[in-house]
Structures are given as structure tokens and as C-alpha cells.
Amino acid sequence: SRIPEALVGQFVIPDGKSIWQDGILTQALKTEYAVLCLDELDKAPAVGNFLQPIMDCNRMTIAETGEIVHFAVGMSIGATGNTSGQGDNTGRFDDTAVLNTAIKERFAFDEKVDYMDYATECNALRRATSCSDGIAHSCCDIAERIRGQHDIEQPISFRRLLALAYALNAGIPVAKAFESAVYKFIRNDSDQESYRALVGVHFPTSFNNTGDI
């Protein structure tokens, strides 16, 4: 199947001669202190099922060549996911699935990554978008208010804040910036109403040419 080919490797014919080419997993297993990060594993549970026996015994046999590849010294495998392996039925994270408990238990620990603190998020916005302090602080202020509302199911992400800061820094009017960078990504109508209410009260209606309120 395509999953083992991408991870394990495959025979290729670069100059008319068939040779074996290691996949990304095989390369990582052979590299000391390598870290293989499987991004959004809950969108590809078949990959987790494929890795389970490999992570169990710290080695992999390449069926096509017979080579047994052992984990190199310090090599580790990590994974990310938007649903903590629980899947999603809200429509926020399409195509995610529940991960088998067995594969989740093959990882040493499970850590939830929270939002950045206020100062770090402001600095990240400024560095990524070159926006003014006024725009950065206004974006982070409204983010804190939105995330603090427990009845909002879809809090604003840093990715949406980036898009908002880019739009505002480009001189796009506040109302239009929120429509294009934030509101159209909020699936829940109730959440949209809450967003609009908070923005209407707590976000500046405009910025001057230097990005200040």
C-alpha cells in the first residue's frame, strides 16, 4: 500500500537499474537522535496501526529486502493531533478518527499544548506579520476575551490571529478583516454571534496609518 511505501521505502529505477530507496521512517530509524514527528496522526489511523508493532519491539523488518532495521541510539517517534486521538463529530476537524488505544499507549506521554501566554503571542504576531504594537495588542486582547467565554465551542486560534493581523496591517478595514480572516472560519452560528458581540464592544473600529488606535 502507499502508506508503507512512503514510510518504509520502495524500489526505484533512476537510471534503468532497480535500487531500494529508504522511506522517511526507515531513514529516521537509522539516524541517531532523530525525531520523527507524525503530524495529525488522528487523520491517518492506518499509519498508527502500521507503527504499533514496530514501536513495540523497537525494530522493523523490510519485507521487500529482508533487512531488519533497529532503532538507532536516541531515535524517537512523536505525533500531533487536533483531537487527542478522540476523533471529532463537530465538523471542526474533518476526516479525523478515533485512534486505537493500543497505539496511543505506545507513546511515552500525551501532552496538551495550550495557547501561548499574552506576551509571547503578541511578540509572535509582531514578528510574523511586522504589525504595530497596537494591532498586536488589540488582536491578543480580543483573543483572550473569546477564549475566556466558556460557551464558545470554537475559540480563536493563533492561525486566525495571524490572518487577522496580516489583514489589518495591510490596511483592510476592521469589519472586512474580521469577515475574511475570522468569521468565515467559525462553523457554529452561535459562536459567530458571540464573536461579533465581543468584537463590537472590545475591538477598535479602526487603526491609523501607523497601526495605532
Side-chain angles (χ1 to χ4, degrees):
S1 68
R2 295 186 62 84
I3 291 175
E5 283 180 5
L7 290 174
V8 179
Q10 60 187 319
F11 284 103
V12 296
I13 309 175
D15 298 307
K17 182 180 179 181
S18 178
I19 62 171
W20 177 259
Q21 184 177 76
D22 285 343
I24 188 170
L25 171 61
T26 306
Q27 294 175 43
L29 290 178
K30 294 179 177 180
T31 304
E32 291 188 1
Y33 301 103
V35 177
L36 177 64
C37 180
L38 304 168
D39 192 30
E40 297 191 10
L41 185 59
D42 45 7
K43 295 189 74 170
V47 173
N49 295 335
F50 176 77
L51 287 174
Q52 183 180 324
I54 297 170
M55 296 173 72
D56 250 351
C57 57
N58 291 339
R59 66 178 183 273
M60 175 182 70
T61 300
I62 301 177
E64 292 86 347
T65 65
E67 180 184 5
I68 298 176
V69 182
H70 293 268
F71 277 42
V73 174
M75 190 274 162
S76 58
I77 298 176
T80 68
N82 287 315
T83 70
S84 298
Q86 301 303 309
D88 174 70
N89 58 9
T90 69
R92 289 180 60 195
F93 304 110
D94 291 335
D95 302 323
T96 56
V98 176
L99 286 179
N100 189 312
T101 299
I103 182 59
K104 289 195 290 184
E105 289 185 348
R106 265 54 183 187
F107 293 95
F109 58 89
D110 182 354
E111 182 71 20
K112 181 180 179 180
V113 180
D114 208 346
Y115 298 108
M116 290 178 273
D117 63 66
Y118 184 95
T120 302
E121 194 161 50
C122 277
N123 187 48
L125 281 180
R126 284 193 297 263
R127 293 184 64 178
T129 69
S130 299
C131 70
S132 67
D133 287 348
I135 289 176
H137 282 287
S138 295
C139 289
C140 290
D141 284 342
I142 199 64
E144 281 204 335
R145 291 184 182 278
I146 291 171
R147 293 167 186 166
Q149 298 295 311
H150 299 298
D151 58 331
I152 292 180
E153 294 183 2
Q154 186 178 344
I156 191 167
S157 67
F158 179 68
R159 186 175 287 111
R160 289 300 97 220
L161 282 187
L162 274 178
L164 179 62
Y166 273 121
L168 294 171
N169 198 47
I172 296 175
V174 169
K176 187 174 181 180
F178 269 97
E179 288 290 346
S180 61
V182 179
Y183 296 151
K184 73 176 186 178
F185 294 90
I186 308 303
R187 293 175 178 266
N188 186 306
D189 289 342
S190 176
D191 281 358
Q192 275 213 30
E193 290 178 8
S194 296
Y195 270 60
R196 292 177 187 277
L198 289 168
V199 170
V201 174
H202 300 290
F203 201 86
T205 55
S206 64
F207 296 89
N208 62 26
N209 292 335
T210 60
D212 293 323
I213 302 170

